[in-house]
Amino acid sequence: MKIEVKDVSKKYKDTNALDNVSFTLNEPKIYGLLGRNGAGKTTFMEILSGQILASEGQILIDGEPPFDNQRLTEAICLIKEGNNFKRDLKVKNVLRIYSYFYPTWDQGLADELIAEYNLNLNAKVKALSKGMVSALGIIVGLASKAPITIFDEPYIGLDAAARKKFYEILLEEYESEKRTIIFSTHLIDEVSLMFEEVLILQDGKLVLKEEAEELRNNTCAVSGTVQDVEEFVKGKEVIQSKNLAGMMTAYVYGSIEQAKSAGLSAEGIPIQELMIYLTEKKGA
Amino acid sequence: MKNQLDETKPIFLQIKEQLEDSVINESVKPGERVPSTNEFAGYYQINPATAAKGINELVNEGILVKRRGVGMFVTEHAKTILIKKRKKTFYENYMLPLKSEANKLNISREELLEMVERGETYEN
């Protein structure tokens, strides 16, 4: 499904959670939505899934706004950090409700995941541990098979092994059937290899939208003497730089090969680091 | 097969280079099947589109051939093609860094040549 974000702003009293954001997601891909705390990620995902309205501008999904639109709500599944489910419901009833709601629901997958995560169907949500509530969210998100599935930091309390299992199944599902998956997390190192495209928000603005491979190819940390590095970065966009004892490292848009052929030492920047440098610069 | 990929380099290139190495050292031989996009994606937990890009480039270069519904196979001349290609990049990838480091350390031309020869006797 095509997602068009057109000049979207969201104001809460005097703060701008989103400030005139525009972009288009054309294809079903795995998107990484990154940014610091308070960057506007959650607000964006809530508008996208039709849970709240934008103050200005709009999001269109296949040409229609998602707010109060049943055809689209059935095609979007948003799993948040918490409070996804009514606390007094039993697990089996939570699953039943979602199975009625999503026409694309895959009960076989749900059963498989319940066994995988050892979830007690007769327990009430409020009796589950944090990790188990997160597992329930992950099960609903994956089994919904919604053409747009959004995970907003879905794994509070889940241990590393359970998270790894989640990534594995997410990829398997994505391979067997392409769908738009938007993934927002602070554990970037764990998931960045799964992203096909990366979006970074900072203070309500979109500061980057790029293919993950393009980022690996076209950003690097260049080190050398201050003079040499400054010469090299002339005319290039510098994300950040630091000096020590006459030596300098600059994080720039440019390829490693380019820097090496200029006689400088260069290495790639992990996406997590890139996010940090990029948002520090814009915040400063 | 590497245990983990380097997150700071294009992933498709790493997938591609791994397959190339396997062909060159003959751990996969002509006519043999190589892992599919999904097998790579599952093994490394990477995006399948990324794995596909690496594999497709090898198809375009005549290293692999796609047989519909069956998988990807190593072509008959894969190794020859690869060795030719690798020789071309040998100078850039190995000689240039060698010369630049030697320069930094003030190693003379003679010293450098002597070291290369010493390496040879080491091999034998």
Side-chain angles (χ1 to χ4, degrees):
Chain A
M1 293 179 116
K2 185 176 173 181
I3 300 171
E4 291 167 279
V5 181
K6 294 180 167 178
D7 312 315
V8 167
S9 296
K10 179 72 186 177
K11 291 187 180 69
Y12 292 108
K13 290 189 181 158
D14 40 357
T15 48
N16 273 334
L18 286 177
D19 188 4
N20 208 13
V21 174
S22 296
F23 60 88
T24 304
L25 306 181
N26 273 314
E27 287 168 75
K29 285 184 188 171
I30 302 179
Y31 296 93
L33 179 62
L34 313 176
R36 309 277 285 273
N37 295 320
K41 306 182 296 286
T42 299
T43 302
F44 167 73
M45 291 183 274
E46 285 176 346
I47 300 174
L48 174 64
S49 55
Q51 300 192 347
I52 57 172
L53 274 168
S55 309
E56 282 162 52
Q58 58 180 350
I59 295 182
L60 296 178
I61 299 170
D62 281 352
E64 288 177 41
F67 190 82
D68 205 11
N69 183 331
Q70 197 191 344
R71 189 183 74 84
L72 285 179
T73 341
E74 285 175 2
I76 303 169
C77 183
L78 167 65
I79 299 298
K80 295 180 287 191
E81 193 171 340
N83 296 325
N84 286 299
F85 313 110
K86 290 231 158 52
R87 293 172 47 79
D88 281 322
L89 285 175
K90 284 186 176 171
V91 169
K92 63 178 175 194
N93 291 330
V94 168
L95 292 167
R96 188 171 302 151
I97 291 168
Y98 281 96
S99 74
Y100 291 147
F101 187 78
Y102 288 107
T104 43
W105 183 263
D106 183 340
Q107 188 59 44
L109 180 62
D111 292 339
E112 197 185 301
L113 291 169
I114 290 159
E116 180 66 48
Y117 285 110
N118 248 323
L119 208 57
N120 178 0
L121 285 172
N122 286 311
K124 285 188 174 173
V125 172
K126 65 180 172 192
L128 297 177
S129 69
K130 264 187 199 162
M132 279 300 163
V133 177
S134 294
L136 180 58
I138 283 168
I139 293 170
V140 169
L142 290 172
S144 76
K145 294 221 167 165
I148 299 175
T149 305
I150 310 165
F151 291 106
D152 182 9
E153 206 75 64
Y155 35 44
I156 302 291
L158 266 196
D159 61 49
R163 293 200 299 271
K164 200 166 162 47
K165 194 74 212 170
F166 166 48
Y167 305 144
E168 225 175 274
I169 299 163
L170 179 76
L171 277 177
E172 267 172 33
E173 282 307 305
Y174 178 73
E175 278 156 20
S176 67
E177 213 169 328
K178 290 265 184 302
R179 64 208 243 209
T180 295
I181 291 169
I182 298 176
F183 206 121
S184 178
T185 179
H186 293 298
L187 299 177
I188 303 171
D189 276 343
E190 285 191 8
V191 290
S192 64
L193 292 184
M194 301 199 300
F195 298 154
E196 200 171 339
E197 210 170 308
V198 176
L199 297 102
I200 298 180
L201 285 173
Q202 167 73 359
D203 293 336
K205 291 192 164 70
L206 183 74
V207 291
L208 180 132
K209 177 178 180 290
E210 188 59 270
E211 282 185 27
E213 286 286 83
E214 199 54 36
L215 285 178
R216 291 187 193 104
N217 206 12
N218 264 326
T219 57
C220 63
V222 185
S223 305
T225 63
V226 173
Q227 198 186 354
D228 287 349
V229 173
E230 279 180 347
E231 181 62 34
F232 176 75
V233 301
K234 246 178 220 163
K236 290 191 178 61
E237 196 181 336
V238 178
I239 300 162
Q240 212 183 64
S241 63
K242 54 186 184 193
N243 291 7
L244 185 71
M247 300 297 276
M248 181 174 178
T249 296
Y251 302 91
V252 293
Y253 290 101
S255 71
I256 295 182
E257 288 72 30
Q258 228 180 338
K260 281 193 173 155
S261 60
L264 294 159
S265 73
E267 50 193 314
I269 314 172
I271 288 174
Q272 169 141 303
E273 308 263 307
L274 189 71
M275 200 276 286
I276 295 170
Y277 299 136
L278 209 57
T279 54
E280 274 176 356
K281 172 197 160 197
K282 305 278 171 177
Chain B
M1 204 68 75
K2 274 198 282 189
N3 177 39
Q4 264 189 335
L5 299 171
D6 179 351
E7 211 225 314
T8 64
K9 295 195 186 103
I11 304 302
F12 83 94
L13 280 180
Q14 297 179 60
I15 296 291
K16 194 178 162 192
E17 277 164 14
Q18 269 196 38
L19 278 171
E20 288 182 356
D21 285 340
S22 301
V23 170
I24 290 174
N25 69 25
E26 294 189 353
S27 55
V28 283
K29 297 188 176 66
E32 281 184 5
R33 196 182 79 90
V34 299
S36 69
T37 300
N38 290 351
E39 283 168 316
F40 271 112
Y43 188 87
Y44 288 117
Q45 298 206 337
I46 57 175
N47 194 296
T50 313
K53 191 174 171 197
I55 290 174
N56 286 338
E57 284 204 357
L58 290 175
V59 172
N60 291 337
E61 288 170 23
I63 311 300
L64 299 179
V65 62
K66 191 184 280 179
R67 284 195 218 134
R68 215 162 280 282
V70 198
M72 293 285 177
F73 295 84
V74 178
T75 59
E76 195 186 336
H77 301 296
K79 191 177 171 180
T80 326
I81 301 171
L82 281 176
I83 286 179
K84 210 167 146 191
K85 185 176 97 169
R86 285 283 176 98
K87 273 187 184 161
K88 264 193 207 159
T89 53
F90 183 80
Y91 180 75
E92 288 160 32
N93 290 345
Y94 296 91
M95 295 314 284
L96 283 183
L98 181 83
K99 283 167 80 176
S100 112
E101 180 71 10
N103 215 9
K104 224 191 285 178
L105 302 178
N106 277 329
I107 294 171
S108 71
R109 208 183 106 92
E110 287 69 31
E111 275 177 289
L112 192 60
L113 284 173
E114 193 264 330
M115 282 186 210
V116 173
E117 274 171 14
R118 206 194 308 160
E120 271 175 10
T121 50
Y122 233 46
E123 281 283 293
N124 302 329

